[in-house]
Amino acid sequence: MNTFPDGIRFSVLDRSRTREGEGVPQALRDTVRLAREVEALGYHRFWVSEHHSVPGVAGSAPTVLAAAVAAATSGIRVGTGGVMLPNHQPLVVAEQFGVLESLFPGRIDMGVGRSVGFTDGIRRALGRDKDDADRFGEQLTELLGWFTGEQTAHPQVHARPAEGLRVPPFVLATGEGAAIAAAAGLPLVIGDLRGRDRLLAAVDTYRSGFRPSPWAAEPYVIVAGTVAVAATEAEARRLLVPEAWSLAYSRTQGVFPPLVPPERVEGLTMTKKQRGFYESGLRGHVHGTEEQVAEALGQAVRETGAQEVLVTTSTYDRAALSESYRRLAHAVGLELRAA
């Protein structure tokens, strides 16, 4: 079943999704629990995300959550997918990752992205503006300079304890950030697997423009996407239903809600617009049996030349989510590596 190149890695990004009828603390605790599970299965990294003022997502402080994950695990790499750099001062981000690396040496990843708060209200609360995303390249240079001691934006200021530490940086991109990652000589995390033509174009841009740096001697590509695995293709597709409905609801109501059971969604009367967003949210994701998913991911790896696959899956049933990651680990041979 496993036809992947030697050395290919598989990792997990968890968005700390909330479920109807449960509090935010439960979602955060379940993220930590899931990290322990995927570590035992042999996954390479476990990353957490940053979202602000979203009812359906509990993870608003990724470096804090990453500390809890790292403390609860022992060997898996832990990081962020990602810290949205335009939302923060680079000095503060460097200090936070310096603390993480000092506490958990050799296990911390620093994934950063260029998104800024997605509504005017959130941006005002963060003290940011939509145009701050355009300064991502400049902020990234400053951030890396705090670790090397070469930043020039603030003379005689030092990031403690970050300065002198080596925390691997990664750039998260949906296309536009690929050129920034290439110019900085950093590994690229690119999604999603559904828009294959756009994905391949961004990877080509990255590889052709890559300039070796002290952080990476050659291009490193991580492709990211939603993956759901179950005993049958129909069951795997059903795992996608709660997230697809949350997306459709947010597009029509302006609020991204907690996940609800798939049977509830299947019994809803949707407007034509909602139905369109819902069906779109179900299409194109990698899902199916172990054999089907292994074949689909193998094709994606061959097409992109990626060195790593970052999987993110959200569904209402936590037991089914855990089972999906277990089946995926078996499909791609991770259990053998863990053993």
Side-chain angles (χ1 to χ4, degrees):
M1 185 188 304
N2 181 11
T3 60
F4 297 94
D6 290 340
I8 189 76
R9 293 163 167 168
F10 290 85
S11 300
V12 172
L13 166 65
D14 190 64
R15 296 168 58 223
S16 303
R17 292 289 274 112
T18 60
R19 273 80 174 169
E20 185 180 62
E22 294 183 354
V24 166
Q26 184 64 49
L28 296 173
R29 287 192 292 266
D30 280 324
T31 289
V32 176
R33 176 192 55 79
L34 181 62
R36 290 195 293 264
E37 290 181 3
V38 301
E39 177 179 48
L41 291 170
Y43 287 90
H44 183 60
R45 308 179 202 276
F46 188 90
W47 283 3
V48 295
S49 62
E50 175 183 339
H51 296 273
H52 298 283
S53 190
V54 180
V57 183
S60 59
T63 53
V64 177
L65 185 53
V69 169
T73 54
S74 60
I76 194 169
R77 296 197 64 85
V78 176
T80 55
V83 167
M84 296 299 112
L85 196 50
N87 289 339
H88 310 279
Q89 291 293 342
L91 170 62
V92 175
V93 175
E95 289 172 337
Q96 291 172 347
F97 279 96
V99 170
L100 284 171
E101 176 63 20
S102 298
L103 291 173
F104 309 101
R107 292 182 56 206
I108 301 300
D109 298 324
M110 182 173 63
V112 296
R114 65 184 297 273
S115 296
V116 70
F118 69 95
T119 69
D120 289 338
I122 294 172
R123 288 190 289 269
R124 284 195 297 269
L126 291 169
R128 295 295 182 263
D129 186 82
K130 187 183 296 186
D131 294 337
D132 285 325
D134 297 333
R135 297 182 51 246
F136 176 65
E138 173 188 334
Q139 291 177 312
L140 181 61
T141 298
E142 181 184 334
L143 174 63
L144 298 178
W146 288 115
F147 286 91
T148 63
E150 297 171 339
Q151 69 83 25
T152 58
H154 305 281
Q156 298 182 327
V157 180
H158 300 270
R160 310 291 188 195
E163 189 171 307
L165 296 181
R166 296 281 297 183
V167 181
F170 298 78
V171 172
L172 280 66
T174 55
E176 189 172 344
I180 296 174
L186 300 181
L188 174 71
V189 184
I190 183 76
D192 63 38
L193 290 171
R194 293 192 296 174
R196 195 63 56 85
D197 290 342
R198 184 181 178 187
L199 174 66
L200 293 175
V203 170
D204 286 344
T205 296
Y206 169 69
R207 286 206 174 99
S208 63
F210 185 86
R211 296 188 297 189
S213 75
W215 303 98
E218 56 188 27
Y220 189 90
V221 175
I222 303 176
V223 291
T226 296
V227 179
V229 196
T232 67
E233 184 176 359
E235 289 177 42
R237 186 180 187 275
R238 204 158 186 259
L239 294 180
L240 303 173
V241 165
E243 184 76 6
W245 169 244
S246 287
L247 176 64
Y249 189 91
S250 70
R251 291 288 189 88
T252 54
Q253 302 296 322
V255 177
F256 198 76
L259 298 171
V260 298
E263 56 269 21
R264 281 265 309 279
V265 177
E266 292 164 345
L268 291 173
T269 299
M270 301 183 194
T271 66
K272 183 178 179 180
K273 191 173 184 180
Q274 285 176 332
R275 176 66 63 177
F277 285 128
Y278 172 68
E279 295 294 343
S280 175
L282 289 172
R283 282 195 296 268
H285 297 298
V286 176
H287 71 282
T289 63
E290 292 181 28
E291 292 79 4
Q292 290 172 320
V293 167
E295 181 180 351
L297 289 179
Q299 180 179 346
V301 168
R302 288 190 296 272
E303 290 179 355
T304 61
Q307 289 96 334
E308 189 170 338
V309 178
L310 180 66
V311 176
T312 177
T313 306
S314 297
T315 194
Y316 178 82
D317 187 335
R318 288 193 178 88
L321 177 64
S322 296
E323 178 68 6
S324 178
Y325 281 121
R326 188 195 66 78
R327 287 180 177 275
L328 177 60
H330 181 260
V332 301
L334 294 189
E335 290 176 325
L336 295 177
R337 300 183 203 179

